[in-house]
Amino acid sequence: MKDGEGSGLSIAIGSCSEVETWISYAFDLEYITQAQRDEWLQSYARIYGMLVNLREKLR
């Protein structure tokens, strides 16, 4: 990967991590149920993993 390439991917990975925090906030403030939290965290983990794998393949 050349300098500057993948910066959008880095932003996507950072944003994905931010979503994990918002999921926790939503649960802690009782906006979502435990089941919703678990489902969303599973989706988060899948998406985060795909982004990390993509970054590794682009290196």
Side-chain angles (χ1 to χ4, degrees):
M1 202 173 346
K2 296 178 186 173
D3 288 344
E5 289 182 9
S7 61
L9 188 54
S10 294
I11 291 169
I13 290 171
S15 295
C16 191
S17 295
E18 185 179 349
V19 167
E20 182 183 25
T21 301
W22 286 112
I23 292 169
S24 294
Y25 287 155
F27 177 72
D28 291 345
L29 295 171
E30 299 180 358
Y31 291 128
I32 62 173
T33 65
Q34 177 76 43
Q36 287 173 313
R37 178 185 171 272
D38 294 345
E39 180 183 342
W40 291 1
L41 286 176
Q42 283 182 337
S43 295
Y44 155 80
R46 229 177 7 259
I47 293 166
Y48 185 82
M50 287 189 283
L51 291 170
V52 170
N53 287 336
L54 178 59
R55 181 182 62 192
E56 294 302 315
K57 288 182 181 186
L58 293 175
R59 286 188 179 191

